[in-house]
Each structure stands twice: as C-alpha cells, then as structure tokens.
Amino acid sequence: MSDWQRVGTGNRWETAYAYSRASRAGGLVFCTGTVALADGGEAFAPGDAHAQTLRCFEIIEGSLRELGLGRTAIVRSRVFVTDIHQADAVGRAHASFFGVHRPCLTQVGVHALIAPEFVVEIECDAVAGA
C-alpha cells in the first residue's frame, strides 16, 4: 500500500515482536497497545493508574505527531486496566488529557499486562481530518 506510513519508538517489544507504534493507511490511524514507559525504557509510575494513563496518551500523541496529527484526531480509545476499581482514576486522566474533545472510550478489566508494574495499556484509533 503506497500511502501506508508506520512510526515506532524503538522500544524492546516493538523490535522483538515486529510491530509499529502507529500505522496510517490513508486517513485511518491505528495506535498499538501502549504501556507507560519512561524515557529510559523502564516502567513509568509503577502501579499508578492515573499517571500511567496520562503517560500512555503522551506516547500515543507523540506517534500521532510523527504522522502529522494531534490528539483531536483520536476517535476511540481502549483502556485495559489490571484493576477495574481504578476505572475512575483512568477516566479522570482521560478527561484531563482530552478535555472537550471527548472521543469514544472503552475500559476493560484484564488479568495482567506485559509486565506486573504496568496497570494500564491503551490503544487508539484516529482519523485524519477528524
């Protein structure tokens, strides 16, 4: 596909598992599941659902910027959380990040993520021109 663009952060999982942080096909953008990594590659704010949610969105937003888009291009976010009792903390972080933009949101309680220090993983879909 000639208009397919991909971006990556180069983290250890992207390299080992052969995937992109975000892919754009025409006007559609898909952001892969994102955990809260600090700049050095370690877990950001282990166990803190609110802080990890915000960090995940910062990473996602950086990938969107590389594709020429911003946070308002996001039309759907899916949040996987290891403790569904943290749904309010995640929801407040989502509201803080998006403000009046208000994309669709799904929160799903899961047993575990890629490593125990991560309590939130987020994937998003975006549309260019949204």
Side-chain angles (χ1 to χ4, degrees), residues 5-76:
Q5 297 174 275
R6 293 178 294 232
V7 298
T9 60
N11 78 46
R12 63 185 183 263
W13 295 300
E14 288 175 29
T15 302
Y17 302 154
Y19 68 89
S20 299
R21 172 71 28 218
S23 295
R24 180 176 179 171
L28 301 177
V29 180
F30 307 96
C31 299
T32 197
T34 303
V35 294
L37 287 173
D39 290 336
E42 68 279 359
F44 180 86
D48 184 333
H50 186 271
Q52 285 195 3
T53 299
L54 291 174
R55 177 65 181 145
C56 290
F57 280 123
E58 289 173 2
I59 294 167
I60 290 166
E61 184 175 37
S63 296
L64 290 174
R65 267 193 243 110
E66 287 189 52
L67 295 169
L69 303 170
R71 69 178 69 181
T72 59
I74 296 173
V75 295
R76 175 185 298 271

Side-chain angles (χ1 to χ4, degrees), residues 104-119:
C104 295
L105 168 64
T106 300
Q107 289 194 54
V108 179
V110 297
H111 175 71
L113 298 173
I114 193 80
E117 56 271 20
F118 300 110
V119 297

